[in-house]
């Protein structure tokens, strides 16, 4: 039996695409392995949202050359968002000629045919579609976890935030039909899934491209009815599209977890406008207030970029101020990275690296204070966790996730993995929670 090894960079969208690759490979008789040296096929599923994501891919690609020498039958395939950029494909062709197959995000479903062609050819096969095609349903999927599953509800993005490459790598926004989504989830639940994460670059605009449009809140109400499903999460919501109806759904759908990831990106109106985010700090803060009014204990996380072109010290202070005002449970923080082909790449006044780093560290300080406060506020609280496995650092400690998406470590029998339990938080730390099974 032939073995495959997949390495994935980037967001959940890419993670889920890799699960589809695994599903297709399993149908072709391949089995997975976790050592590149044993593999007959190595796939790199790439991300180009920031420069460091790209650099990691290049570094890892370079290391494959000796493997190819030892095993000339080894097939090396590279796919994902980086491949939707022609300058990157040209670079790979020149610099890594030992790669056998290159394909993109829009023709992932054709992978079996591409692989078959590749096995019969001595030349590198490159097939990239410039544009998205129709949504392809029914791709087999092998999921990483049995109990929690990713489900795409839409693909692509129409927002064109000026720093972001995603609309160029993932194409225009398009939604899956509600029945396809509901049937997929029902099937998953029948096979043991208790938690789904609905995926889309901007889930709030779900439904706009359908013949019989329904909106995201309607979809949530329908998913909430699925028997046997216990938890619903979603990623990502754009603040400009959070409707009062969605806030009502957050309150009314009992399976919807008390967590929302609401990327703010920056706290200054001047920067938000240059980013093309289409909301102001005032509107964002109001939104947070309304969400908290509807669901008081909701945890709120965000994405923040520092050093966007033209960001002044004053602008940056507004970001710090907003972070303090909101009091986030957690945040992904990024240093602005120039992405070729995006409007911001051509903006004058790029912020020097030292200033970006200095601001980044100051942001972390303010953020960590808020994360710590949120964690410490949970002391002695009893929370429901879904036990996902054992702790990364200690195989004797169980790891579960709360509805608010916080990781809790605690002692307990391994038979509990995959089940729900209640845990009392006894030891909140700055970045993690420890508790006792009750
Ligand atoms: N569709 C999602 C995720 C987009 S990518 C959303 O809109 O939230 C994830 C995050 O990467 C973004 O939220 C942004 O904070 C960050 N990001 C995107 N482009 C970037 C760039 N050029 N430099 C630094 N961070 C970037
Ligand atoms: Fe990128 Fe903005 Fe689309 Fe998110 S909403 S994927 S940040 S363009
Ligand atoms: Fe990266 Fe593509 Fe996701 S660029 S962040 S893998 S959509």
């Amino acid at each position: 039996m032939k073995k495959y090894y997949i390495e994935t960079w980037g967001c959940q969208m890419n993670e889920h695409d890799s699960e589809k690759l695994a599903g297709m490979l399993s149908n072709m008789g391949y089995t997975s392995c976790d050592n590149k040296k044993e593999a007959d096929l190595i796939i790199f599923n790439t991300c180009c949202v920031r420069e460091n994501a790209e650099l990691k891919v290049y570094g890892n690609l370079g290391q494959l050359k000796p493997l190819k020498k030892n095993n000339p039958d080894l097939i090396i395939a590279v796919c994902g968002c980086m491949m939707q950029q022609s300058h990157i494909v040209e670079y790979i062709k020149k610099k890594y000629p030992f790669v056998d197959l290159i394909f993109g995000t829009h023709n992932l479903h054709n992978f079996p045919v591409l692989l078959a062609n590749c096995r019969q050819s001595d030349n590198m096969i490159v097939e990239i579609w410039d544009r998205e095609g129709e949504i392809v349903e029914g791709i087999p999927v092998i999921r990483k976890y049995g109990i929690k599953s990713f489900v795409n509800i839409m693909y692509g993005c129409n927002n064109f935030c000026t720093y972001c490459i995603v609309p160029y790598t993932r194409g225009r926004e398009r939604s899956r039909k509600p029945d396809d989504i509901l049937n997929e989830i029902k099937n998953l639940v029948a096979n043991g899934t208790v938690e789904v994460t609905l995926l889309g670059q901007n889930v709030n605009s779900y439904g706009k491209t359908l013949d019989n449009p329904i909106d995201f809140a309607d979809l949530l109400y329908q998913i909430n009815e699925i028997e046997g499903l216990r938890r619903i999460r979603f990623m990502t919501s754009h603040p400009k599209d959070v409707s009062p109806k969605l806030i009502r759904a957050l309150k009314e759908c009992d399976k919807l977890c008390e967590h929302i990831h609401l990327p703010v990106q920056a706290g200054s109106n001047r920067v938000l406008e240059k980013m093309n985010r289409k909301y102001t700090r005032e509107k964002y803060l109001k939104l947070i207030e309304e969400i908290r009014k509807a669901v008081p204990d909701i945890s709120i996380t965000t994405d923040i970029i520092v050093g966007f072109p033209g960001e002044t010290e004053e602008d940056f202070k507004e970001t710090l101020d907003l972070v303090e005002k909101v009091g986030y449970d957690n945040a992904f923080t990024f240093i602005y990275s120039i992405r070729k082909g995006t409007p911001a790449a051509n903006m004058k006044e790029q912020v020097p690296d030292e200033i970006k780093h200095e601001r980044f560290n100051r942001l972390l300080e303010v953020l960590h204070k808020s994360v710590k406060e949120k964690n410490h506020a949970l002391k002695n609280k009893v929370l429901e966790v879904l036990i996902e496995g054992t702790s990364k650092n200690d195989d004797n400690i169980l790891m579960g996730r709360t509805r608010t998406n916080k990781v809790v470590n605690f002692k307990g029998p391994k038979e509990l993995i995959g089940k729900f339990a209640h845990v009392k938080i006894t030891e909140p730390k700055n970045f993690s929670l420890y508790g006792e099974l009750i």
Side-chain angles (χ1 to χ4, degrees):
M1 228 183 217
K2 289 204 180 292
K3 291 184 184 153
Y4 70 86
Y5 173 94
I6 304 180
E7 188 134 353
T8 310
W9 286 272
C11 63
Q12 277 94 344
M13 203 60 85
N14 253 22
E15 294 279 347
H16 189 37
D17 280 353
S18 289
E19 294 181 332
K20 292 178 185 167
L21 288 168
M24 291 186 264
L25 282 165
S26 162
N27 279 7
M28 286 184 270
Y30 277 79
T31 54
S32 76
C33 68
D34 44 21
N35 184 346
K36 285 181 206 150
K37 285 187 188 140
E38 283 172 24
D40 303 287
L41 165 68
I42 296 177
I43 305 179
F44 279 1
N45 191 3
T46 66
C47 168
C48 53
V49 77
R50 284 169 294 277
E51 190 185 15
N52 54 8
E54 280 176 16
L55 296 178
K56 277 185 210 153
V57 170
Y58 290 136
N60 278 271
L61 212 44
Q63 289 169 14
L64 295 186
K65 200 174 174 181
L67 294 187
K68 188 87 184 181
K69 256 195 192 139
N70 292 343
N71 174 12
D73 290 335
L74 170 68
I75 292 182
I76 297 175
V78 192
C79 63
C81 287
M82 273 172 84
M83 301 307 115
Q84 291 299 136
Q85 304 253 278
S86 52
H87 67 277
I88 294 183
V89 172
E90 287 314 310
Y91 183 74
I92 289 185
K93 281 194 206 162
K94 226 176 13 204
K95 200 81 198 275
Y96 306 96
F98 55 84
V99 168
D100 300 284
L101 171 62
I102 294 181
F103 59 102
T105 58
H106 299 316
N107 59 342
L108 185 97
H109 58 281
N110 271 354
F111 170 66
V113 175
L114 294 170
L115 182 62
N117 291 348
C118 185
R119 287 170 71 168
Q120 286 165 13
S121 164
D122 292 328
N123 301 324
M124 184 193 287
I125 292 191
V126 181
E127 195 173 309
I128 311 286
W129 294 4
D130 287 345
R131 296 203 45 202
E132 65 281 0
E134 294 281 302
I135 292 179
V136 179
E137 291 292 346
I139 300 177
V141 180
I142 290 195
R143 288 175 154 95
K144 213 164 156 186
Y145 304 93
I147 46 168
K148 33 182 245 172
S149 303
F150 294 134
V151 174
N152 282 124
I153 62 164
M154 59 185 301
Y155 300 91
C157 180
N158 285 356
N159 289 323
F160 290 95
C161 304
T162 53
Y163 49 81
C164 184
I165 198 74
V166 172
Y168 308 88
T169 65
R170 292 277 167 177
R172 292 296 62 72
E173 199 174 286
R174 53 221 186 269
S175 296
R176 285 179 75 194
K177 294 197 184 84
D179 281 351
D180 289 330
I181 299 168
L182 291 164
N183 287 336
E184 181 177 350
I185 300 176
K186 282 178 193 158
N187 255 323
L188 286 168
V189 170
N191 286 299
T193 289
V194 284
E195 174 180 309
V196 288
T197 302
L198 310 174
L199 294 183
Q201 296 299 346
N202 177 15
V203 289
N204 302 344
S205 63
Y206 171 77
K208 285 186 187 151
T209 58
L210 295 173
D211 292 339
N212 297 318
I214 79 165
D215 64 18
F216 181 51
D218 294 328
L219 181 73
L220 287 173
Y221 279 104
Q222 291 185 24
I223 297 174
N224 196 55
E225 294 300 309
I226 296 177
E227 227 168 282
L229 182 67
R230 296 275 299 266
R231 288 177 168 188
I232 307 169
R233 301 184 186 281
F234 55 86
M235 290 266 292
T236 302
S237 326
H238 194 304
K240 79 174 165 59
D241 296 317
V242 175
S243 63
K245 194 169 159 191
L246 176 62
I247 297 179
R248 201 166 63 230
L250 281 174
K251 188 185 164 103
E252 291 178 355
C253 295
D254 58 322
K255 293 174 185 170
L256 252 185
C257 287
E258 292 77 22
H259 169 226
I260 187 162
H261 185 67
L262 208 54
V264 67
Q265 312 298 359
S268 132
N269 285 339
R270 217 176 59 83
V271 173
L272 285 171
E273 195 178 340
K274 284 176 79 183
M275 287 178 160
N276 192 29
R277 291 291 289 178
K278 302 197 176 84
Y279 53 84
T280 58
R281 65 179 273 129
E282 292 76 20
K283 255 178 117 175
Y284 184 90
L285 287 168
K286 185 94 204 310
L287 195 56
I288 297 285
E289 201 185 304
E290 282 162 11
I291 293 172
R292 284 201 166 125
K293 213 182 324 160
V295 189
D297 285 334
I298 197 163
S299 80
I300 300 179
T301 57
T302 199
D303 291 350
I304 302 168
I305 299 177
V306 298
F308 183 81
E311 181 191 73
T312 62
E313 174 64 20
E314 285 314 301
D315 291 322
F316 174 65
K317 279 192 180 137
E318 293 209 61
T319 298
L320 291 182
D321 179 67
L322 181 134
V323 170
E324 272 180 344
K325 282 208 166 87
V326 174
Y328 287 107
D329 288 81
N330 218 334
F332 295 110
T333 49
F334 307 106
I335 289 178
Y336 170 72
S337 169
I338 296 178
R339 301 291 69 206
K340 198 175 160 182
T342 62
N346 301 324
M347 287 180 188
K348 293 188 197 93
E349 307 180 287
Q350 296 288 334
V351 177
D353 275 352
E354 332 64 272
I355 297 186
K356 282 192 206 168
H357 282 101
E358 186 252 346
R359 286 183 190 162
F360 185 74
N361 291 335
R362 281 161 66 201
L363 172 64
L364 286 188
E365 234 173 81
V366 174
L367 185 69
H368 288 167
K369 224 173 95 199
S370 135
V371 176
K372 187 172 145 186
E373 269 169 27
K374 293 277 165 187
N375 278 349
H376 284 263
L378 293 175
K379 183 151 174 132
N380 293 327
K381 288 244 156 70
V382 175
L383 304 171
E384 179 202 83
V385 296
L386 174 57
I387 302 164
E388 294 179 7
T390 53
S391 147
K392 250 190 253 160
N393 309 324
D394 185 346
D395 196 41
N396 292 313
I397 302 273
L398 296 178
M399 185 280 272
R401 217 173 265 272
T402 64
R403 286 174 61 95
T404 51
N405 208 30
K406 293 182 194 257
V407 168
V408 186
N409 296 298
F410 56 97
K411 283 207 182 101
K414 288 213 172 97
E415 297 78 67
L416 284 179
I417 293 174
K419 304 213 164 72
F420 287 93
H422 280 87
V423 173
K424 182 174 171 180
I425 307 300
T426 47
E427 230 189 305
K429 300 232 167 130
N430 294 350
F431 296 105
S432 50
L433 297 170
Y434 289 80
E436 278 170 17
L437 200 58
I438 61 162

